[in-house]
Amino acid sequence: MARSREPFVSLLLYYAFKWSVVNPMLRVYFRGRVYGAENVPQEGPLVVVSNHASDFDPPILSCCVRRPVAYMAKEELFQIPVFSRAIELYGAYPVKRGSADRSAIRAAVKYLEEGWAAGVFLQGTRTPDGKITEPKLGAALIAAKTNAPLLPVSLWGTHKIMQEGSTIPRSVPVTVRIGQVIPPPSSTDKAELLAVTQKCADAIASLHDLGR
C-alpha cells in the first residue's frame, strides 16, 4: 500500500531549505507571484508537470506547491558523499546518461509509491522561451502506472534568469501558476496517453499565456 506522505526527515530538509533559501530568493530577488497553490493535493502521490526553461525551475516549483517534489539529477552528483545523501533526502534521484527514460520512470514510480510528488518537465528538456512545443508521454505513463493525478504548472519568466556566459542570476520577475488536477489515464494505451499529455500541455499553455 502506498504511503500518504514523504519521509519525515525529507519534509524537515525541504522546509529548512525552502524558508532559508528558495522562498526568500523567489519572493524578493525574483519578485515572485504564485497563483493556484490551493489546487495542490497535500497528501498522496502526485505527478507535477510543467514547462522548463531554467535550472532554477525545480526548486522554485517545489517551493510553490508547498511539498517536496522528486526530480531526476545527473549521476555524477551522487558521487559526492555527504552532498549525495542530502539531495537524495530532498528528493533527487540519479539517472545515467543515455538511459534517462527507463531509469527516470522506474525512479519516479518508486517515489510516488512512497507518497512523494514526482516532477516531470513535459517536454523533457529546457526550451528557450519556456513554451512546450513537443510534449512527451512520460508523465502520463507514470501517472497511468501509479494511478496518480497530474498537476499542470506554468513557470513564467524563468528563461530570463540566466544570460549566456553569465554566472550570476538576473533579478527578473517570475510568476508561477498552478492549474486544476487532471485525472490519470485509465490505461497505458498510447492513444489515451497522448490525449492526457495534450490535455496537460494545453493547460500549461493557457496558464503561461496569462503572463505576469
Side-chain angles (χ1 to χ4, degrees), residues 55-133:
D55 290 337
F56 287 79
D57 292 346
I60 287 175
L61 190 148
S62 186
C63 174
C64 293
V65 300
R66 301 185 297 185
R67 60 181 291 186
V69 178
Y71 276 101
M72 71 174 73
K74 59 184 180 180
E75 188 181 34
E76 290 81 359
L77 294 176
F78 290 82
Q79 297 172 0
I80 308 171
V82 177
F83 181 71
S84 65
R85 181 55 179 159
I87 61 175
E88 182 180 359
L89 289 172
Y90 194 70
Y93 51 88
V95 176
K96 293 182 180 180
R97 297 179 187 273
S99 63
D101 289 343
R102 294 189 299 275
S103 57
I105 288 174
R106 286 196 300 269
V109 168
K110 172 181 175 292
Y111 272 88
L112 287 166
E113 290 173 346
E114 294 177 355
W116 285 74
V120 179
F121 295 122
L122 204 57
Q123 184 141 329
T125 187
R126 288 177 292 179
T127 57
D129 56 3
K131 294 184 178 181
I132 297 170
T133 56

Side-chain angles (χ1 to χ4, degrees), residues 10-171:
S10 295
L11 285 170
L12 286 180
L13 183 61
Y14 163 76
Y15 284 113
F17 188 55
K18 172 180 177 176
W19 294 116
S20 64
V21 179
V22 184
N23 194 68
M25 190 169 189
L26 173 63
R27 299 290 184 175
V28 178
Y29 193 69
F30 295 133
R31 307 186 297 284
R33 295 178 183 175
V34 181
Y35 301 96
E38 68 278 3
N39 295 330
V40 184
Q42 288 301 300
E43 291 188 354
L46 179 70
V47 179
V48 181
V49 290
S50 74
N51 57 320
H52 185 29
S54 167
D55 290 337
F56 287 79
D57 292 346
I60 287 175
L61 190 148
S62 186
C63 174
C64 293
V65 300
R66 301 185 297 185
R67 60 181 291 186
V69 178
Y71 276 101
M72 71 174 73
K74 59 184 180 180
E75 188 181 34
E76 290 81 359
L77 294 176
F78 290 82
Q79 297 172 0
I80 308 171
V82 177
F83 181 71
S84 65
R85 181 55 179 159
I87 61 175
E88 182 180 359
L89 289 172
Y90 194 70
Y93 51 88
V95 176
K96 293 182 180 180
R97 297 179 187 273
S99 63
D101 289 343
R102 294 189 299 275
S103 57
I105 288 174
R106 286 196 300 269
V109 168
K110 172 181 175 292
Y111 272 88
L112 287 166
E113 290 173 346
E114 294 177 355
W116 285 74
V120 179
F121 295 122
L122 204 57
Q123 184 141 329
T125 187
R126 288 177 292 179
T127 57
D129 56 3
K131 294 184 178 181
I132 297 170
T133 56
E134 298 178 14
K136 302 297 189 292
L137 302 183
L141 178 60
I142 292 167
K145 286 178 174 289
T146 58
N147 197 35
L150 298 111
L151 183 73
V153 180
S154 162
L155 302 170
W156 182 92
T158 62
H159 65 289
K160 296 181 179 179
I161 291 177
M162 298 300 298
Q163 287 186 319
E164 187 175 355
S166 175
T167 58
I168 301 174
R170 299 169 63 208
S171 178

Side-chain angles (χ1 to χ4, degrees), residues 41 44-49 112 137-152 180-189 191-200:
L46 179 70
V47 179
V48 181
V49 290
L112 287 166
L137 302 183
L141 178 60
I142 292 167
K145 286 178 174 289
T146 58
N147 197 35
L150 298 111
L151 183 73
Q180 299 288 333
V181 165
I182 296 172
S186 59
S187 74
T188 57
D189 178 75
E192 189 166 0
L193 295 180
L194 282 167
V196 172
T197 298
Q198 191 58 52
K199 189 172 184 179
C200 290

